[in-house]
Amino acid sequence: MDIRGRRQSSNIEDRRGMRPVRTGVGLSIGGLLFLGVLTLLGINPLPFLGLATKAPEVQMQQTQEPYQESAQEANLRQMTAVVLADTEETWSAILPKYGINYVEPKLVLFNGLVESACGTAESAMGPFYCPLDQKVYLDMSFYVDLTQRFGAPGDFAQAYVIAHEVGHHVQNLLGIAQKVRALQERSGKVEANALSVRMELQADCFAGVWARNAAQSRQLLEAGDIDEGLRAASAIGDDRLQKMSQGRVVPDAFTHGSSEQRARWFRRGLEAGTLEACDTFGATQL
Ligand SMILES: [Zn+2]
Protein backbone atom coordinates (compact mmCIF):
# COMPACT_ATOMS: atom_id res chain seq x y z
CA MET A 1 0.00 0.00 0.00
CA ASP A 2 1.07 3.54 -0.51
CA ILE A 3 -0.43 5.44 2.39
CA ARG A 4 1.29 8.77 1.81
CA GLY A 5 -1.10 11.71 1.75
CA ARG A 6 -4.15 9.60 2.57
CA ARG A 7 -6.77 10.43 5.16
CA GLN A 8 -6.21 8.97 8.63
CA SER A 9 -9.25 8.02 10.67
CA SER A 10 -10.07 10.11 13.72
CA ASN A 11 -11.61 7.01 15.31
CA ILE A 12 -8.35 5.77 16.81
CA GLU A 13 -8.42 5.66 20.60
CA ASP A 14 -4.86 5.51 21.87
CA ARG A 15 -4.64 3.74 25.24
CA ARG A 16 -1.03 2.66 24.94
CA GLY A 17 0.05 4.72 27.94
CA MET A 18 -2.38 2.94 30.27
CA ARG A 19 -1.29 0.49 32.95
CA PRO A 20 -3.40 -1.92 35.01
CA VAL A 21 -4.09 -1.03 38.62
CA ARG A 22 -5.44 -3.76 40.87
CA THR A 23 -8.69 -2.95 42.61
CA GLY A 24 -11.02 -5.07 44.75
CA VAL A 25 -10.90 -8.85 44.74
CA GLY A 26 -8.00 -9.35 42.40
CA LEU A 27 -7.17 -10.54 38.99
CA SER A 28 -8.34 -13.98 37.94
CA ILE A 29 -5.40 -15.24 35.95
CA GLY A 30 -7.18 -18.53 35.21
CA GLY A 31 -10.12 -16.71 33.68
CA LEU A 32 -7.86 -14.55 31.60
CA LEU A 33 -5.87 -17.53 30.33
CA PHE A 34 -9.04 -19.44 29.48
CA LEU A 35 -10.36 -16.47 27.55
CA GLY A 36 -6.94 -16.15 25.97
CA VAL A 37 -7.06 -19.65 24.53
CA LEU A 38 -10.62 -19.22 23.29
CA THR A 39 -10.24 -15.81 21.80
CA LEU A 40 -6.89 -16.28 20.12
CA LEU A 41 -6.92 -14.20 16.97
CA GLY A 42 -10.18 -12.46 17.39
CA ILE A 43 -12.86 -14.99 18.13
CA ASN A 44 -15.85 -13.03 19.28
CA PRO A 45 -15.39 -13.05 23.05
CA LEU A 46 -19.09 -12.54 23.70
CA PRO A 47 -20.13 -16.17 24.25
CA PHE A 48 -17.71 -16.18 27.17
CA LEU A 49 -18.84 -12.87 28.53
CA GLY A 50 -20.12 -14.24 31.79
CA LEU A 51 -16.68 -15.53 32.51
CA ALA A 52 -14.97 -12.38 31.38
CA THR A 53 -17.04 -10.01 33.45
CA LYS A 54 -16.65 -12.16 36.56
CA ALA A 55 -12.91 -12.52 36.19
CA PRO A 56 -10.73 -9.49 36.70
CA GLU A 57 -10.92 -6.63 39.10
CA VAL A 58 -8.49 -4.35 37.36
CA GLN A 59 -8.71 -0.81 36.16
CA MET A 60 -6.57 0.72 33.50
CA GLN A 61 -5.15 4.10 34.39
CA GLN A 62 -3.24 6.59 32.35
CA THR A 63 0.37 6.86 33.45
CA GLN A 64 1.81 10.31 34.09
CA GLU A 65 3.72 10.49 30.86
CA PRO A 66 2.07 10.25 27.47
CA TYR A 67 3.13 7.14 25.55
CA GLN A 68 6.39 7.62 23.65
CA GLU A 69 6.21 5.72 20.42
CA SER A 70 9.16 4.71 18.27
CA ALA A 71 9.39 5.83 14.65
CA GLN A 72 8.38 2.30 13.58
CA GLU A 73 5.33 2.36 15.87
CA ALA A 74 4.35 5.76 14.49
CA ASN A 75 4.45 4.32 10.96
CA LEU A 76 2.30 1.37 11.99
CA ARG A 77 -0.18 3.66 13.75
CA GLN A 78 -0.46 5.83 10.64
CA MET A 79 -0.97 2.77 8.44
CA THR A 80 -3.65 1.51 10.84
CA ALA A 81 -5.40 4.89 10.77
CA VAL A 82 -5.31 5.02 6.95
CA VAL A 83 -6.75 1.49 6.63
CA LEU A 84 -9.45 2.25 9.19
CA ALA A 85 -10.34 5.44 7.28
CA ASP A 86 -10.54 3.43 4.08
CA THR A 87 -12.91 0.89 5.65
CA GLU A 88 -15.08 3.88 6.64
CA GLU A 89 -15.17 5.02 2.99
CA THR A 90 -16.06 1.51 1.84
CA TRP A 91 -18.79 0.63 4.27
CA SER A 92 -20.44 4.04 4.34
CA ALA A 93 -20.73 3.67 0.54
CA ILE A 94 -22.04 0.08 0.57
CA LEU A 95 -24.32 -0.26 3.60
CA PRO A 96 -26.83 2.52 2.74
CA LYS A 97 -27.74 0.41 -0.32
CA TYR A 98 -29.04 -2.12 2.20
CA GLY A 99 -30.89 0.52 4.20
CA ILE A 100 -28.24 0.65 6.90
CA ASN A 101 -26.47 3.75 8.10
CA TYR A 102 -22.80 3.00 8.73
CA VAL A 103 -21.85 3.81 12.31
CA GLU A 104 -18.05 4.05 12.37
CA PRO A 105 -16.37 1.82 14.94
CA LYS A 106 -13.55 3.03 17.18
CA LEU A 107 -10.20 1.27 17.07
CA VAL A 108 -8.46 1.07 20.44
CA LEU A 109 -4.67 0.76 20.42
CA PHE A 110 -3.32 -0.82 23.58
CA ASN A 111 -0.23 -2.41 25.04
CA GLY A 112 -0.46 -5.66 26.98
CA LEU A 113 -3.84 -5.47 28.69
CA VAL A 114 -7.07 -3.65 27.89
CA GLU A 115 -10.55 -3.23 29.32
CA SER A 116 -13.47 -3.57 26.92
CA ALA A 117 -17.22 -3.80 27.43
CA CYS A 118 -16.74 -7.53 26.67
CA GLY A 119 -14.24 -7.97 29.49
CA THR A 120 -10.53 -7.54 30.08
CA ALA A 121 -8.27 -8.85 27.34
CA GLU A 122 -4.56 -9.44 26.90
CA SER A 123 -2.63 -8.93 23.71
CA ALA A 124 -1.86 -12.67 23.53
CA MET A 125 -5.52 -13.17 22.54
CA GLY A 126 -4.94 -11.28 19.33
CA PRO A 127 -7.03 -8.44 17.93
CA PHE A 128 -10.78 -8.63 18.57
CA TYR A 129 -14.04 -6.77 18.10
CA CYS A 130 -16.41 -6.13 21.00
CA PRO A 131 -20.01 -5.68 19.80
CA LEU A 132 -21.11 -4.19 23.12
CA ASP A 133 -19.02 -1.05 22.73
CA GLN A 134 -18.56 -1.36 18.93
CA LYS A 135 -14.79 -1.11 19.20
CA VAL A 136 -11.91 -3.00 17.61
CA TYR A 137 -9.05 -3.71 20.04
CA LEU A 138 -5.54 -4.01 18.67
CA ASP A 139 -2.10 -4.34 20.19
CA MET A 140 0.19 -3.56 17.28
CA SER A 141 2.67 -6.15 18.55
CA PHE A 142 0.36 -8.53 16.67
CA TYR A 143 1.81 -7.15 13.45
CA VAL A 144 5.19 -8.47 14.59
CA ASP A 145 3.61 -11.86 15.39
CA LEU A 146 2.10 -11.96 11.92
CA THR A 147 5.54 -11.59 10.40
CA GLN A 148 7.60 -13.63 12.82
CA ARG A 149 5.28 -16.36 14.15
CA PHE A 150 2.83 -16.76 11.31
CA GLY A 151 5.07 -15.98 8.34
CA ALA A 152 2.73 -13.33 6.93
CA PRO A 153 4.74 -10.12 6.53
CA GLY A 154 3.72 -6.93 4.77
CA ASP A 155 1.47 -3.96 5.36
CA PHE A 156 -1.42 -5.55 3.54
CA ALA A 157 -1.31 -8.58 5.83
CA GLN A 158 -1.80 -6.06 8.64
CA ALA A 159 -4.54 -4.28 6.74
CA TYR A 160 -6.37 -7.58 6.29
CA VAL A 161 -6.45 -8.06 10.07
CA ILE A 162 -8.03 -4.62 10.57
CA ALA A 163 -10.52 -5.23 7.75
CA HIS A 164 -11.48 -8.62 9.24
CA GLU A 165 -12.27 -7.04 12.62
CA VAL A 166 -14.22 -4.25 10.93
CA GLY A 167 -16.04 -7.08 9.11
CA HIS A 168 -17.30 -8.24 12.51
CA HIS A 169 -18.58 -4.72 13.11
CA VAL A 170 -20.47 -4.86 9.79
CA GLN A 171 -21.99 -8.20 10.88
CA ASN A 172 -23.08 -6.48 14.06
CA LEU A 173 -24.74 -3.61 12.16
CA LEU A 174 -26.43 -6.08 9.81
CA GLY A 175 -27.90 -7.95 12.78
CA ILE A 176 -26.12 -11.18 11.78
CA ALA A 177 -24.00 -11.34 14.92
CA GLN A 178 -27.05 -11.21 17.18
CA LYS A 179 -28.88 -13.96 15.25
CA VAL A 180 -25.86 -16.23 15.33
CA ARG A 181 -25.36 -15.70 19.05
CA ALA A 182 -29.00 -16.62 19.73
CA LEU A 183 -28.58 -19.78 17.63
CA GLN A 184 -25.35 -20.68 19.39
CA GLU A 185 -27.02 -20.43 22.76
CA ARG A 186 -29.51 -23.09 21.68
CA SER A 187 -26.99 -25.46 20.11
CA GLY A 188 -24.34 -27.92 21.24
CA LYS A 189 -20.64 -27.29 21.12
CA VAL A 190 -19.97 -28.77 17.67
CA GLU A 191 -22.81 -26.76 16.08
CA ALA A 192 -21.79 -23.60 17.94
CA ASN A 193 -18.26 -24.01 16.58
CA ALA A 194 -19.60 -24.57 13.06
CA LEU A 195 -21.61 -21.33 13.34
CA SER A 196 -18.52 -19.54 14.56
CA VAL A 197 -16.60 -20.77 11.50
CA ARG A 198 -19.30 -19.30 9.22
CA MET A 199 -19.15 -15.99 11.11
CA GLU A 200 -15.38 -15.82 10.77
CA LEU A 201 -15.32 -16.78 7.10
CA GLN A 202 -17.92 -14.09 6.45
CA ALA A 203 -15.70 -11.51 8.18
CA ASP A 204 -12.86 -12.68 5.89
CA CYS A 205 -15.16 -12.26 2.89
CA PHE A 206 -16.14 -8.75 4.06
CA ALA A 207 -12.40 -7.97 4.32
CA GLY A 208 -12.19 -8.99 0.67
CA VAL A 209 -15.12 -6.70 -0.23
CA TRP A 210 -13.23 -3.87 1.42
CA ALA A 211 -10.01 -4.70 -0.46
CA ARG A 212 -11.83 -4.57 -3.79
CA ASN A 213 -13.46 -1.25 -2.96
CA ALA A 214 -10.14 0.20 -1.74
CA ALA A 215 -8.40 -0.92 -4.93
CA GLN A 216 -11.08 0.22 -7.37
CA SER A 217 -12.33 3.42 -5.79
CA ARG A 218 -9.14 4.76 -4.24
CA GLN A 219 -6.23 2.80 -5.78
CA LEU A 220 -4.92 1.95 -2.33
CA LEU A 221 -3.37 -1.38 -3.31
CA GLU A 222 0.01 -2.01 -4.88
CA ALA A 223 1.35 -5.06 -6.65
CA GLY A 224 1.80 -7.95 -4.22
CA ASP A 225 -0.73 -6.65 -1.68
CA ILE A 226 -3.40 -9.22 -2.47
CA ASP A 227 -0.87 -12.02 -2.03
CA GLU A 228 0.07 -10.59 1.36
CA GLY A 229 -3.60 -10.55 2.38
CA LEU A 230 -4.18 -14.11 1.18
CA ARG A 231 -1.07 -15.27 3.00
CA ALA A 232 -2.30 -13.65 6.22
CA ALA A 233 -5.77 -15.20 5.85
CA SER A 234 -4.32 -18.67 5.46
CA ALA A 235 -1.59 -18.12 8.05
CA ILE A 236 -4.16 -17.78 10.82
CA GLY A 237 -6.44 -20.63 9.78
CA ASP A 238 -7.49 -22.90 12.62
CA ASP A 239 -5.73 -25.94 11.17
CA ARG A 240 -2.43 -24.10 11.03
CA LEU A 241 -2.89 -22.67 14.53
CA GLN A 242 -3.85 -26.04 15.98
CA LYS A 243 -0.84 -27.70 14.41
CA MET A 244 1.39 -24.99 15.86
CA SER A 245 -0.08 -25.38 19.32
CA GLN A 246 -0.89 -29.08 19.63
CA GLY A 247 0.63 -30.75 16.60
CA ARG A 248 -2.63 -32.07 15.18
CA VAL A 249 -5.81 -30.86 13.53
CA VAL A 250 -9.28 -31.25 15.07
CA PRO A 251 -11.88 -30.01 12.56
CA ASP A 252 -14.78 -30.05 15.05
CA ALA A 253 -12.92 -27.65 17.26
CA PHE A 254 -12.47 -25.14 14.44
CA THR A 255 -13.89 -21.76 15.22
CA HIS A 256 -12.41 -19.68 12.39
CA GLY A 257 -12.10 -22.06 9.45
CA SER A 258 -9.14 -23.76 7.81
CA SER A 259 -6.36 -21.87 6.07
CA GLU A 260 -7.73 -22.86 2.69
CA GLN A 261 -11.27 -21.72 3.62
CA ARG A 262 -10.12 -18.39 4.99
CA ALA A 263 -8.11 -17.56 1.89
CA ARG A 264 -11.00 -18.73 -0.34
CA TRP A 265 -13.62 -16.49 1.31
CA PHE A 266 -11.31 -13.51 1.34
CA ARG A 267 -10.80 -14.03 -2.39
CA ARG A 268 -14.53 -14.46 -2.98
CA GLY A 269 -15.28 -11.09 -1.36
CA LEU A 270 -12.46 -9.54 -3.33
CA GLU A 271 -13.65 -10.88 -6.68
CA ALA A 272 -17.38 -10.22 -6.22
CA GLY A 273 -17.30 -7.12 -4.05
CA THR A 274 -20.84 -7.65 -2.78
CA LEU A 275 -22.41 -8.68 0.51
CA GLU A 276 -24.44 -11.34 -1.32
CA ALA A 277 -21.25 -13.17 -2.29
CA CYS A 278 -20.45 -13.49 1.41
CA ASP A 279 -23.43 -15.64 2.40
CA THR A 280 -21.42 -18.19 4.37
CA PHE A 281 -24.59 -19.19 6.23
CA GLY A 282 -26.43 -20.18 3.07
CA ALA A 283 -23.43 -21.90 1.50
CA THR A 284 -23.55 -25.68 1.44
CA GLN A 285 -19.83 -25.89 0.79
CA LEU A 286 -17.49 -23.71 2.81
ZN1 LIG B 1 -12.77 -12.85 13.64
Side-chain angles (χ1 to χ4, degrees), residues 70-235:
S70 66
Q72 195 204 5
E73 286 173 322
N75 285 337
L76 290 174
R77 173 179 50 74
Q78 284 160 12
M79 181 279 296
T80 302
V82 166
V83 171
L84 184 63
D86 206 281
T87 62
E88 291 161 0
E89 305 288 342
T90 297
W91 294 111
S92 59
I94 293 178
L95 287 185
K97 295 178 193 158
Y98 298 84
I100 288 162
N101 176 34
Y102 188 59
V103 181
E104 296 173 354
K106 298 269 184 224
L107 189 151
V108 178
L109 292 178
F110 71 98
N111 275 341
L113 201 66
V114 72
E115 276 180 300
S116 78
C118 298
T120 305
E122 329 178 58
S123 33
M125 299 173 190
F128 68 98
Y129 171 72
C130 173
L132 296 180
D133 54 23
Q134 307 207 344
K135 293 180 183 182
V136 171
Y137 291 85
L138 172 74
D139 184 329
M140 292 195 300
S141 66
F142 185 71
Y143 295 153
V144 180
D145 284 355
L146 261 185
T147 307
Q148 295 180 354
R149 268 185 75 203
F150 302 115
D155 58 359
F156 203 76
Q158 298 154 2
Y160 153 79
V161 170
I162 301 165
H164 171 94
E165 298 306 334
V166 170
H168 284 311
H169 175 64
V170 172
Q171 289 175 316
N172 196 26
L173 295 180
L174 289 170
I176 296 169
Q178 296 80 335
K179 277 185 205 152
V180 168
R181 219 145 44 224
L183 270 174
Q184 281 177 320
E185 275 160 22
R186 281 184 269 123
S187 48
K189 200 174 167 210
V190 172
E191 285 158 273
N193 280 348
L195 284 166
S196 173
V197 168
R198 288 176 193 268
M199 276 287 276
E200 293 301 328
L201 293 177
Q202 187 173 62
D204 287 333
C205 189
F206 285 175
V209 171
W210 162 73
R212 181 191 182 89
N213 193 277
Q216 287 196 336
S217 303
R218 290 170 300 283
Q219 293 75 46
L220 180 67
L221 276 62
E222 293 176 315
D225 278 346
I226 292 301
D227 285 339
E228 285 177 5
L230 285 166
R231 207 177 303 134
S234 65

Side-chain angles (χ1 to χ4, degrees), residues 34-67:
F34 179 60
L35 253 189
V37 172
L38 289 172
T39 61
L40 180 72
L41 297 170
I43 295 180
N44 181 353
L46 214 73
F48 318 104
L49 236 191
L51 182 109
T53 47
K54 260 178 266 155
E57 291 284 338
V58 282
Q59 269 188 350
M60 303 300 287
Q61 282 180 3
Q62 186 64 46
T63 47
Q64 296 295 330
E65 325 260 290
Y67 182 73

